[in-house]
């Protein structure tokens, strides 16, 4: 896969996606969003793509949606742009591929929304996160108002969205926005370690677990529990539980 703004590398079964639009701190315009869409569409065709790490080049993860681009929007154009961003981030959120955001620097506005669309967030101690849209007379438009509240609850989501403040990695950890903070030079190795742990587990199990977790957020407790038992049961149509359970009883590593 060749892209102008994305550098894709596959190492040890992990796909690394680096956003590289350095002249604008990796800000998201239609081209970058289009490439992210095409990248996931391609990765999803291949079952062996199971875990992806998304990061940014330089001092930013992504510094937001492209401010220069948005200045001349009318309501129709704004709706189309929001629709494009939401559909790309939904694709990432709902993908069978498990995604880890390795937040190397500024993850602001659309950048934080991209990180929120990923399944797991690891931040460098130098990262800064926030949703500054209200300081530009906007609201988050790529899913931030909805994903953040589901992740951290209404109180923290209201603080982040309504103040537009930026938060350090340590603050983001305390608020439950990121899973983990590492030294900058250890960011990718920590993401790799987490990716490898996931890759070592049952292939169907990890994909179905992600699917059920995400379905459950949208559903009632009852609906989510139904999905859980139906999926738990359907895994027994595959060889994975047999192998996993036998390996435990035979005191060996499973070979999924
Ligand atoms: N868009 C475009 N260019 C950007 C940018 C961005 N978001 N962020 C930075 N840049 C550009 C700068 O303009 C500068 O370009 P030159 O002047 O060199 O040509 C270059 O990147 C380097 O930036 P700085 O010189 O500012 O770098 P500093 O280290 O001094 O500062 C910073 C870094 C990240 C603190 C600062 O650049 C900054 O505050 N950037 C803006 C951050 C921000 O406000 N992000 C949120 C954007 S709003 C919606 C759809 C989507 C959204 C909302 C609604 N609908 C359609 C309804 C989403 C909105 C957003 O994401």
């Amino acid at each position: 896969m060749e892209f102008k703004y994305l550098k894709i590398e596959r190492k040890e079964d992990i796909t690394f996606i680096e956003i590289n639009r350095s002249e604008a701190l990796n800000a998201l315009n239609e081209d970058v969003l289009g490439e992210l869409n095409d990248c996931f569409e391609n990765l999803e065709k291949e079952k062996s793509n199971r875990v992806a790490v998304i990061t940014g080049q330089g001092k930013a993860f992504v510094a937001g949606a492209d401010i220069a681009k948005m200045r001349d929007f009318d309501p129709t154009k704004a709706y189309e742009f929001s629709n494009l961003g939401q559909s790309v981030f939904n694709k990432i959120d709902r993908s069978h591929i498990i995604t880890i955001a390795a937040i190397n620097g500024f993850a602001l506005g659309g950048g934080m929304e991209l990180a929120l669309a990923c399944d797991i967030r690891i931040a460098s101690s130098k990262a800064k996160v926030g949703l500054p849209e209200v300081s530009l007379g906007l609201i988050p438009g790529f899913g931030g108002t909805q994903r953040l509240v589901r992740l951290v609850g209404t109180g923290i989501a209201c603080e982040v969205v309504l103040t537009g403040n930026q938060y350090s990695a340590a603050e983001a950890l305390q608020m439950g926005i990121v899973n983990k903070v590492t030294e900058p030079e250890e960011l990718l190795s920590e993401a790799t370690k987490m990716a490898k742990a996931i890759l070592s587990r049952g292939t169907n199990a990890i994909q179905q677990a992600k699917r059920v977790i995400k379905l459950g957020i949208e559903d009632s407790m009852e609906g989510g529990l139904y999905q859980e038992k139906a999926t738990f049961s359907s895994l027994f149509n595959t060889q994975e539980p047999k192998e996993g359970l036998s390996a435990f009883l035979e005191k060996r590593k499973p070979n999924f």
Side-chain angles (χ1 to χ4, degrees):
M1 284 180 278
E2 285 292 318
F3 295 107
K4 183 170 175 201
Y5 297 115
L6 304 182
K7 191 173 125 204
I8 315 288
E9 242 185 305
R10 171 111 181 208
K11 280 189 263 176
E12 300 178 89
D13 289 337
I14 306 163
T15 304
F16 289 85
I17 302 167
E18 184 188 79
I19 302 175
N20 188 340
R21 187 178 170 234
S22 49
E23 69 275 16
L25 300 185
N26 307 329
L28 301 169
N29 59 13
E30 279 143 346
D31 293 340
V32 181
L33 287 169
E35 289 195 2
L36 276 170
N37 183 68
D38 295 349
C39 173
F40 271 84
E41 211 152 274
N42 282 331
L43 290 175
E44 285 187 328
K45 284 183 191 150
E46 184 53 68
K47 267 198 145 186
S48 68
N49 290 320
R50 290 181 288 153
V51 181
V53 173
I54 303 180
T55 193
Q57 192 275 333
K59 67 178 175 182
F61 175 72
V62 167
D66 193 319
I67 294 173
K69 190 99 196 147
M70 288 190 289
R71 190 169 47 180
D72 299 325
F73 277 0
D74 60 19
T76 308
K77 192 74 194 106
Y79 186 88
E80 283 167 9
F81 191 54
S82 186
N83 202 36
L84 171 67
Q86 285 191 3
S87 99
V88 177
F89 290 3
N90 284 345
K91 184 188 280 293
I92 294 172
D93 195 0
R94 295 169 186 164
S95 173
H96 77 257
I97 297 164
I98 314 296
T99 48
I100 301 174
I103 307 172
N104 52 303
F106 295 108
L108 301 174
M112 177 163 166
E113 292 175 293
L114 171 60
L116 290 171
C118 293
D119 303 316
I120 295 164
R121 284 153 292 283
I122 305 178
S124 144
S125 56
K126 288 199 171 145
K128 289 259 189 241
V129 306
L131 293 172
E133 283 86 345
V134 290
S135 61
L136 300 165
L138 302 170
I139 66 166
F142 294 160
T145 60
Q146 303 306 304
R147 288 199 174 91
L148 184 61
V149 74
R150 284 162 170 78
L151 182 67
V152 297
T154 321
I156 301 230
C158 282
E159 179 190 326
V160 174
V161 174
L162 302 180
T163 65
N165 284 344
Q166 286 185 24
Y167 299 91
S168 68
E171 289 169 323
L173 180 66
Q174 206 195 5
M175 294 162 102
I177 296 170
V178 302
N179 299 60
K180 202 167 216 179
V181 177
T182 71
E183 288 311 310
E185 57 281 5
E186 284 160 14
L187 179 64
L188 287 183
S189 60
E190 194 58 42
T192 301
K193 202 161 103 192
M194 198 163 310
K196 280 187 175 168
I198 295 166
L199 283 168
S200 72
R201 312 306 185 205
T203 306
N204 293 315
I206 61 167
Q207 290 176 1
Q208 293 304 326
K210 169 173 172 173
R211 193 181 65 82
V212 172
I213 289 170
K214 302 281 166 133
L215 277 176
I217 301 171
E218 310 304 327
D219 207 339
S220 63
M221 182 76 169
E222 208 49 43
L225 287 172
Y226 175 75
Q227 285 295 338
E228 185 184 84
K229 70 185 159 199
T231 305
F232 179 85
S233 146
S234 75
L235 284 172
F236 284 84
N237 289 323
T238 73
Q239 287 307 304
E240 263 183 35
K242 274 190 190 66
E243 172 57 15
L245 298 166
S246 302
F248 176 81
L249 294 170
E250 292 160 17
K251 301 190 188 308
R252 61 175 174 82
K253 277 197 166 167
N255 183 15
F256 290 121

